[in-house]
Amino acid sequence: MGSQGDARKLPFAAVPNAPEQTATAIGDEDIGGPVQMIVDSGTTFIYLPNSVAVIVNSLFDPPATFDAGTGLYVVNCSVVAPKFGVYIGGQLFYINPLDMMLEKGLAGICLSAVQKAGGRLAVLGEVFLKNVLAAFDVGAGQMRFAAREDY
């Protein structure tokens, strides 16, 4: 594991009756099932079903560790982040590897951008939104995304 050449798919459904969508991480087998998810500009992390978050965090090199005290995955800020993206409407939106870790304020310790949802809805927060151009069309009841190039 940890090679950038594999593609592990995580199926998601954004809303009931929506076309199937997938989040992708490293590897080559499906590691999730359809779940409801929301996009939230007021949330920092990407929250995924617990079993999926465990797998994604295991793909950091070296792997992220779960801090039971805070309930968050932490990594050394110098780790190699996995290649990770989200399929929406058949298009893959990758998260820039620089955005897969957030500085915690302690020297050399970062938080993983992917955390456990803990039984709640999966959430694509600020980490996802800074990697796409997002249009929230309230009148039409639609959201549109365009991929951004890595910076």
Side-chain angles (χ1 to χ4, degrees), residues 81-112:
K83 187 172 186 180
F84 175 79
V86 178
Y87 274 103
I88 298 176
Q91 183 173 354
L92 180 58
F93 299 97
Y94 280 110
I95 305 302
N96 186 317
L98 298 173
D99 294 328
M100 289 295 292
M101 297 169 283
L102 304 159
E103 289 191 42
K104 187 176 179 179
L106 300 173
I109 302 295
C110 286
L111 297 173
S112 167

Side-chain angles (χ1 to χ4, degrees), residues 52-84:
V52 176
V54 167
I55 293 169
V56 172
N57 280 290
S58 74
L59 299 173
F60 281 90
D61 187 14
T65 57
F66 187 73
D67 181 336
T70 62
L72 298 171
Y73 278 99
V74 295
V75 295
N76 184 298
C77 294
S78 63
V79 301
V80 176
K83 187 172 186 180
F84 175 79

Side-chain angles (χ1 to χ4, degrees), residues 38-47 123-129:
I38 62 173
V39 176
D40 182 13
S41 62
T43 298
T44 301
F45 299 112
I46 295 172
Y47 288 98
V123 178
L124 299 175
E126 176 188 335
V127 169
F128 171 76
L129 287 169

